């Protein structure tokens, strides 16, 4: 039998194509007769539209059509993007119209669409569309937006509160009354985006003969796009096919459905020609959803030993001008806060503020980095006040391994009670501390200080619900050539699903991964699907591949037994052949596949159904909880405020690993995003909510010299929730990063006794803190 | 009336003669006129490096040039790195073996940048590699796999030389 | 983000280029394109004519004139990076050039383009200011030299006219063995610095400073000489205390402010970086080993 594939560090099958320039991303499609679209977007964060004149634009070279809301079919003019994930806590679920003709509520909101022979001409004409605006004041900061007298985000509202809810459990009042020590502090985490290097992109083509609409979109969720197209445009489901080709990074913002994904197909059908729209980077800064802005006003109560008694407080979440995904992010924040700790009582009131900015939907980490920041900072404060080591206070509060599964007392976003299924939190923290040489740190720090260098260390823990349901299916099919093909619904934006899903399947047939193809992200290839987000593919699709492969395997054995006239229980599969154990009787899977194709006039061997294939839609009973600990060592230059990350250690438990190579890559990439959130990425708006930092020269992504190597160690606590024991791994690196980095900076600057309560932290903020501490 | 010119550019050894608008960027020319879509565009303002090509052997950002400026010049893109259809260049192989790419969008720019850099500095330190790719943004990998691939490729190229 | 329509010209000589400049009202010169092209792509500038000077061949020289190195306006930043002459005669420029953007942008970016764009924290104008360079500009029927001290007129505005172009930069050479240091602070490697400091020192045997040049970039609207600090060094023997004291003068500079860096921070960085640059330059001048001055 060949080498075991599952769990091996297998190089990716995706790579040779991508390394030689043979990938096919949405902008790589050049269809005959294709037109290109450019949007006219609001330059104002908030304005009333008095009139739009498109005549000059229409007269421009190469222009085929210009659409405003008035030019759309009647039934679409007031249609808004379908509201995903409603929740009774939401009082003002504003949703975007396809094209806005009356009141724009964020800078970048689409008002008109120009279609021309080239993007160049379309952009020229877009500048010629004349719009008469009455500029209105904008609600910029989410905290002040909720205060009396704030400008309204939508002029029809009487306040900017979009939702309000309380989560919690236990008698918080009593816990605080009995506390040995309490600490209260306000935290702030700033807005940041996904910023995949490929922007969004849509190509749509309508085929009149088949009455079939095909949409290529740089999306993480082709099935959600399809479902929304069907709902919104009222088209027949079997007349719409959505394909996510190669996608150049997702990170959350490409999960959601955007108006552009509805408009481009409408227009392609209307004009009878393929239409392409490629988001440019400026549009990406203005109109692709972001996340993270939250204020937390929190209080912690502990006993004399540093054991947690309770946490309570209030949080304000910035949702932007619209709520396409409701309160998913802030709700995840609220339920993430308790983390890996035994927290006897908890109460959090969340208020969601509407502001005149692009909508907020999940970005890698999805509400968790903020909650972890608040909780971990509280833990640090309690430790400092008690004179306890920051790692020690955590150790004392971690949920003991023997208490797994552990019911938290909260309800998760999937509506089910939150129960941590598995995990060894004490071991995970201990491992992280070990690889970081935490015990040796104080001596290192002393030596460094003697040399005039300021180093510090920070620790942060997190728990993350992954593998969200309801399902992600897979079809496994052995073709008459003997090659195996797997079909699944979620798109791939760099995760390496071809390789990992092939690894799940390969061992069942004793073949190599290179004998397996994976077709993904195409609604034409499998009946149902959901999408690649919330760290869910390995869990859901992986389990479906496992179940489907098992079924195909059984069927192959059954048919081969019939073909070889042997008993099923005497048979096994190896190297792509079904054989009778202890004999040289065997038949290749290709022959088996051919046998069940059927031959006119003959019945199928063994009376089986035709086709050597099976489809499964694995549906997990609940989320599986991954966890981890980050330990970060930094050096800070107190004179310039420069932060150099010296060591970044991470113990990560995402259950069983299908491919450690791929998981390490996910963790490393996710950490880099966390580094950006902690130190670099800052989306600046003026007081009226107009974006200021809308280029890559101003909004700074981490580049190679600023990004640390991550020393990753894996603790494997298989989950009982799915047959593979796997948990999601795509977001864990981001979640504790800001908390651990900021703690380390604070530790490095302890001679000045600085306190840091927010992120990102810029060099000038560091110098300022050092100076006020001096 | 738009300003147009006929230009002739050699890309990966093949000559492309096209009549283009003078304002057409070189990246758009390569991608949409010559249909060599391996070169990517991520920002069109000169920061991300996805559009990096080799212009007469030196790396340059193709979004910051007009196609007419490349008239009569030699360009090499990601499609022109592998020795043939079956094999990968040692640098490409090192990327696969070190998980140097995830979505693959920044990859063409990383490869062209490193190809030039490793010729200039065949035995670089990690720091030098990181500085060499500081003009190429990758949002997926955290650069670790890319840096490892570059260092590994340097070894392979030296062994092969 | 596509460039707006314009008429493109690619003159083969400076004469042709300046003739076009005088003829066209709303023209832009396209040199290395590393600043103009992003602005075109974003349609921040809308020229009727773009005059590409990349096909002018006789502007790409680096010449040794004995007391100065003379650079043609189209010398690429990469040419400077790999020029033996520059490393030998203007080591400050060599140290600075590695901070200019990234290898891919240095392939195209030019000395003359960088001077014309005149970003307050750009390295080449800062070095030019430190070295008292002289910029030659030409227009139809005339040529003139502008001393670096008179070159900046305001924020990103050089003092030459719209119908003039930079053809040459003459950079005087300091005596062999002079001390030099270019120190900058940027958020990321290759970004425009928030603040930079360029220091040149002439040190006599025995350690007395005979001549000093101190320039800070990114603090004022253009690179600034800190003459008050320079004067304080003349005749003094270098020491950590002296450099700390002298560098403090940078806090008196009238500094710019924007959402990315407050004025006090730019002043503060100027003082910190100048202190470091002084120590580095002085150590290089006296014994080649570096004084550790954090
Ligand atoms: S696309 Fe050219 S640098 Fe980003
Ligand atoms: S691999 Fe996705 S941006 Fe680098």
């Amino acid at each position: 039998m060949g080498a075991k594939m599952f769990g091996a560090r297998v190089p990716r099958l995706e790579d040779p194509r991508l390394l030689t320039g043979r990938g096919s991303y949405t902008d790589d499609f050049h269809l005959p007769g294709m037109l290109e679209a450019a949007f006219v977007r609001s330059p104002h964060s908030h304005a009333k539209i008095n009139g739009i004149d498109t005549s000059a634009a229409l007269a421009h070279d190469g222009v085929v059509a210009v659409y405003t809301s008035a030019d759309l079919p009647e039934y679409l003019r007031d249609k808004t993007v379908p509201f995903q994930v409603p929740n009774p806590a939401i009082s003002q679920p504003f949703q975007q119209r396809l094209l806005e003709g009356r009141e724009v509520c964020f800078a970048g909101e689409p008002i008109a669409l120009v279609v021309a022979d080239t993007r160049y001409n379309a952009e020229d004409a877009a500048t010629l569309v004349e719009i008469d605006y009455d500029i209105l004041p904008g609600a910029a900061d989410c905290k002040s937006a909720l205060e009396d007298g704030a400008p309204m985000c939508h002029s029809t509202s009487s306040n900017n509160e979009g939702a309000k809810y309380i989560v919690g459990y236990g008698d918080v009042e009593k816990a605080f009354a009995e506390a040995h020590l309490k600490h209260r502090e306000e935290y702030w985490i700033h807005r940041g985006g996904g910023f995949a290097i490929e922007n969004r992109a849509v190509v749509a083509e309508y085929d009149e003969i088949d009455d079939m609409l095909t949409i290529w979109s740089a999306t993480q969720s082709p099935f959600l796009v399809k479902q929304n197209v069907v709902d919104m445009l009222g088209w027949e489901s079997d007349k719409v096919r959505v394909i996510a080709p190669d996608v150049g990074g997702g990170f959350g913002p490409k999960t959601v459905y955007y108006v552009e994904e509805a408009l481009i197909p409408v227009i392609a059908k209307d004009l009878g020609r393929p239409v392409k729209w490629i988001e440019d980077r400026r549009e990406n800064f203005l109109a692709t959803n972001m996340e993270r802005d939250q204020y937390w006003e929190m209080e912690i109560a502990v006993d004399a030993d540093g054991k947690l008694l309770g946490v309570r407080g209030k949080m304000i979440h910035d949702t932007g001008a619209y709520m396409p995904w409701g309160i998913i992010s802030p709700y995840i924040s609220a339920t993430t806060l308790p983390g890996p700790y035994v927290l006897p009582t908890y109460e959090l009131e969340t208020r969601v503020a509407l502001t005149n900015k692009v909508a907020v939907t999940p970005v890698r980490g999805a509400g968790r980095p903020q909650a972890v920041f608040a909780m971990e900072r509280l833990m640090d404060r309690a430790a400092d006040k008690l004179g306890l080591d920051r790692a020690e206070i955590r150790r004392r509060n971690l949920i003991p391994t023997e208490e797994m599964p552990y019911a938290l007392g909260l309800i998760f976003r999937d509506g089910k009670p939150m129960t941590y299924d598995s995990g060894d939190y004490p071991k995970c923290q201990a491992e992280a501390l070990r690889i970081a040489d935490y015990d040796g740190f104080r001596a290192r720090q002393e030596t460094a200080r003697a040399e005039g260098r300021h180093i510090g260390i920070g620790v942060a823990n997190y728990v993350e619900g992954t593998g969200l349901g309801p399902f992600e299916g897979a079809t496994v099919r052995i073709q008459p050539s003997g090659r195996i093909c797997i079909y699944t619904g979620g798109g791939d934006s760099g995760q390496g699903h071809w390789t990992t899903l092939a690894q799940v399947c390969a061992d069942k047939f004793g073949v190599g991964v290179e004998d397996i193809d994976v077709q993904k992200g195409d609604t034409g290839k499998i009946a149902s699907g959901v999408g690649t987000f919330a760290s869910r593919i390995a869990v859901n699709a992986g389990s479906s591949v496992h179940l489907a492969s098992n079924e195909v395997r059984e069927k192959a054995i059954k048919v081969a037994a019939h073909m070889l006239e042997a008993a099923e229980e005497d048979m096994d599969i190896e190297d792509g052949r079904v054989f009778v154990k202890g004999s040289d009787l065997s038949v290749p899977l290709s022959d088996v596949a051919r046998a069940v194709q059927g031959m006119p006039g003959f019945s199928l061997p063994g009376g089986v159904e035709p086709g050597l294939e099976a489809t499964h839609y694995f549906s997990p009973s609940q989320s599986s909880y991954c966890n981890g600990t980050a330990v970060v060592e930094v050096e800070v230059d107190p004179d310039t405020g420069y932060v150099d990350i010296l060591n970044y250690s991470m113990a990560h438990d995402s259950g069983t690993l299908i491919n450690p190579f791929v998981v390490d890559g996910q963790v490393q990439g996710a950490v880099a995003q966390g580094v950006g959130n902690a130190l670099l990425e800052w989306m600046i708006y003026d007081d009226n909510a107009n974006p200021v930092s809308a280029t890559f020269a101003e909004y700074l992504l981490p580049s190679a010299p600023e990004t640390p190597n991550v020393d990753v160690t894996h603790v494997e606590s298989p989950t009982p929730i799915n047959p593979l024991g796997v948990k999601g791994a795509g977001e864990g690196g981001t979640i504790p990063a800001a908390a651990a980095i900021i703690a380390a900076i604070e530790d490095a600057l302890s001679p000045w006794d600085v306190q840091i309560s927010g992120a990102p932290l810029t060099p000038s903020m560091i110098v300022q803190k050092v100076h006020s501490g001096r | 009336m738009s300003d147009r010119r006929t230009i002739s550019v050699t890309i990966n050894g093949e000559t492309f003669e096209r009549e283009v608008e003078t304002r057409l960027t070189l990246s758009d020319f390569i991608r949409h006129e010559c249909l060599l879509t391996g070169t990517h565009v991520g920002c069109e303002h000169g920061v991300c490096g996805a559009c990096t090509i080799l212009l007469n052997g030196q790396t340059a950002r193709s979004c910051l040039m007009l196609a007419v400026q490349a008239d009569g010049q030699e360009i090499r893109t990601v499609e022109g790195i592998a020795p043939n259809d079956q094999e990968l260049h040692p640098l490409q192989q090192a990327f696969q073996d070190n998980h140097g790419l995830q979505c693959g969008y920044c990859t063409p720019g990383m490869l062209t940048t490193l190809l030039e850099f490793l010729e200039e500095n065949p035995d670089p330190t990690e720091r030098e590699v990181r500085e060499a790719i500081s003009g190429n943004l990758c949002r997926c990998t955290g650069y670790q796999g890319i840096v490892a691939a570059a260092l590994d490729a340097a070894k392979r190229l030296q062994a092969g030389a | 983000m596509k460039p707006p329509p314009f008429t493109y010209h690619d003159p083969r000589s400076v004469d042709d280029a300046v003739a076009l400049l005088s003829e066209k009202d709303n023209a832009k010169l396209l040199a290395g394109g590393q600043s103009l092209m992003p602005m075109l792509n974003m349609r921040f500038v809308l020229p009727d004519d773009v005059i590409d000077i990349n096909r002018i061949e006789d502007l790409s020289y680096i010449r040794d004139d004995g007391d100065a190195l003379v650079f043609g306006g189209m010398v690429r930043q990469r040419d400077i990076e790999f020029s033996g002459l520059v490393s030998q005669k203007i080591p400050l420029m060599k140290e600075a050039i590695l901070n200019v953007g990234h290898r891919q942008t240095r392939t195209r970016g030019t000395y003359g383009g960088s001077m014309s764009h005149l970003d307050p924290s750009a390295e080449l104008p800062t070095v030019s200011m430190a070295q008292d360079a002289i910029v030659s500009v030409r227009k139809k029927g005339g040529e003139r030299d502008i001393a670096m001290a008179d070159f900046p007129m305001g924020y990103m505005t050089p003092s030459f006219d719209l119908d003039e172009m930079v053809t040459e930069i003459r950079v005087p050479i300091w005596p062999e063995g002079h001390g030099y240091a270019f120190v900058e602070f940027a958020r990321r490697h290759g970004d425009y610095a928030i603040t930079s400091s360029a220091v040149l020192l002439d040190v006599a045997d025995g350690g007395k400073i005979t001549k000093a040049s101190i320039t800070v970039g990114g603090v004022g609207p253009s690179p600034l000489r800190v003459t008050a600090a320079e004067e304080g060094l003349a005749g003094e023997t270098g020491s950590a205390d002296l450099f700390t004291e002298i560098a403090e003068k940078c806090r008196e500079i009238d500094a710019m402010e924007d959402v990315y860096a407050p004025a006090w921070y730019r002043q503060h960085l100027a003082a910190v970086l100048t202190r470091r640059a002084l120590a580095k330059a002085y150590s290089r001048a006296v014994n080649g080993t570096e004084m550790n001055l954090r």
Side-chain angles (χ1 to χ4, degrees), chain C residues 7 10 17-18 21 37 62 74 80 86 89-91 129 142 147 151 153 160 207-208 219 221-222 261 282 288:
Chain C
T7 305
D10 53 349
V18 293
L21 263 182
M37 283 297 300
I62 303 179
M74 286 301 287
I80 294 175
V86 170
K89 310 261 172 160
I90 317 177
M129 185 63 87
F151 187 72
M153 214 167 66
F160 61 83
K208 269 208 174 19
V219 184
S222 60
Y282 187 76

Side-chain angles (χ1 to χ4, degrees), chain A residues 135-157:
Chain A
I135 299 175
L136 300 171
D141 172 66
C142 60
K143 200 167 158 196
S144 42
L146 293 178
E147 285 163 9
D148 288 344
M152 285 302 119
C153 173
H154 296 266
S155 60
T156 51
S157 303

Side-chain angles (χ1 to χ4, degrees), chain A residues 33-383:
Chain A
M34 189 171 75
L35 299 169
E36 298 213 49
F39 282 88
V40 179
R41 297 177 183 274
S42 171
H44 307 295
S45 63
H46 197 188
K48 276 232 159 14
I49 297 172
N50 298 322
I52 307 175
D53 181 356
T54 60
S55 51
L58 271 166
H60 187 77
D61 271 358
V63 171
V64 174
V66 179
Y67 294 86
T68 64
S69 127
D71 303 308
L72 292 175
E74 178 87 56
Y75 81 107
L76 285 176
R77 276 177 216 165
D78 276 323
K79 258 254 160 85
T80 57
V81 174
F83 180 21
Q84 314 284 317
V85 221
N87 186 304
I90 303 173
S91 51
Q92 302 195 74
F94 285 103
Q95 304 300 335
Q96 222 175 310
R97 292 196 186 88
L98 286 182
L99 290 170
E100 188 52 62
R102 283 167 283 188
E103 180 182 343
V104 279
C105 293
F106 70 92
E109 187 159 4
I111 298 170
L113 175 62
V114 179
V115 189
D117 56 348
T118 68
R119 173 71 178 234
Y120 288 70
N121 283 334
E123 286 192 19
D124 295 348
T127 66
L128 301 174
V129 172
E130 278 177 41
I131 302 171
D132 178 19
Y133 295 102
D134 272 344
I135 299 175
L136 300 171
D141 172 66
C142 60
K143 200 167 158 196
S144 42
L146 293 178
E147 285 163 9
D148 288 344
M152 285 302 119
C153 173
H154 296 266
S155 60
T156 51
S157 303
S158 56
N159 66 63
N160 288 320
E161 188 180 275
K164 183 177 179 173
Y165 56 90
I166 293 175
V167 299
Y169 53 82
D171 190 343
V172 188
E173 288 299 322
K174 184 158 168 278
F176 275 81
E178 290 168 359
H180 168 78
L181 182 121
K182 290 181 278 194
H183 174 81
R184 191 190 189 101
E185 194 170 342
E186 196 174 317
Y187 302 108
W188 169 71
I189 297 273
H190 176 67
R191 187 177 263 251
F195 296 109
I197 304 300
E198 181 202 30
N199 290 312
R200 291 186 290 134
V202 184
V203 173
E205 180 181 37
Y206 175 65
D207 178 346
E208 217 171 335
I209 297 168
D210 282 346
D211 185 26
M212 182 80 193
L213 195 98
T214 307
I215 303 167
W216 292 266
S217 179
T219 178
Q220 299 170 237
S221 320
F223 278 89
L224 288 186
V225 173
K226 174 169 167 169
Q227 185 188 317
N228 283 307
V229 165
V230 167
D231 285 356
M232 196 170 180
L233 307 181
W235 292 345
E236 283 304 323
S237 176
D238 64 346
K239 298 291 183 193
V240 178
R241 176 178 174 192
V242 180
I243 300 168
D246 288 321
V247 176
F251 317 116
K254 286 184 185 164
T255 300
V256 236
Y257 183 65
Y258 291 88
V259 291
E260 292 91 344
E261 284 170 311
L263 277 163
I264 300 301
V266 167
I267 280 150
K269 190 169 180 189
D270 192 38
L271 298 174
R273 288 172 70 176
V275 178
K276 177 192 267 188
W277 167 70
I278 303 299
E279 182 186 59
D280 66 32
R281 187 54 69 183
R282 186 162 32 183
E283 294 181 281
N284 182 254
F285 270 99
L286 298 178
T288 289
N289 297 359
M290 299 186 188
E291 213 220 293
R292 305 249 203 278
D293 241 350
Q294 290 180 353
Y295 289 92
W296 295 69
E297 203 186 310
M298 300 302 289
E299 194 175 11
I300 188 172
V302 294
D303 71 12
D305 294 328
K307 286 255 192 193
L308 283 164
L309 298 175
V311 170
R312 67 181 172 191
K314 294 178 178 174
M315 188 257 279
I316 296 175
H317 170 85
D318 184 345
T319 194
Y322 298 101
M323 300 179 79
W325 273 43
I327 52 171
I328 285 293
S329 288
Y331 198 82
I332 294 176
S333 303
T335 52
T336 295
L337 187 120
Y341 306 116
V342 177
L343 176 61
T345 69
Y346 171 48
E347 186 178 284
L348 182 77
E349 177 199 277
T350 303
R351 295 176 74 199
V352 173
L354 291 155
T355 60
N356 292 96
K357 298 182 219 156
V358 69
V360 162
T361 55
V363 172
R364 200 171 202 171
R368 298 179 187 91
Q370 301 95 308
V372 167
F373 188 84
M375 184 64 186
E376 296 295 304
R377 297 273 59 207
L378 288 172
M379 295 296 276
D380 286 343
R381 295 283 180 259

Side-chain angles (χ1 to χ4, degrees), chain A residues 19 61 110 222 240 268 361 413 434 462 631 638 673 683 701 764:
Chain A
L19 282 163
D61 271 358
V240 178
T361 55
R413 61 181 280 205
R434 182 183 64 76
Y462 75 95
V631 183
Q673 231 153 327
M683 187 64 207
L701 299 186
S764 65

Side-chain angles (χ1 to χ4, degrees), chain A residues 196-198 248-249 251 493-494, chain B residues 100-107 110 137-141 146:
Chain A
I197 304 300
E198 181 202 30
F251 317 116
S493 43
Chain B
L101 65 155
Q102 290 182 24
C103 78
Y105 207 75
C106 69
T107 313
M110 291 286 179
L137 295 175
C138 173
R139 193 54 156 170
C140 297
T141 63
I146 298 174

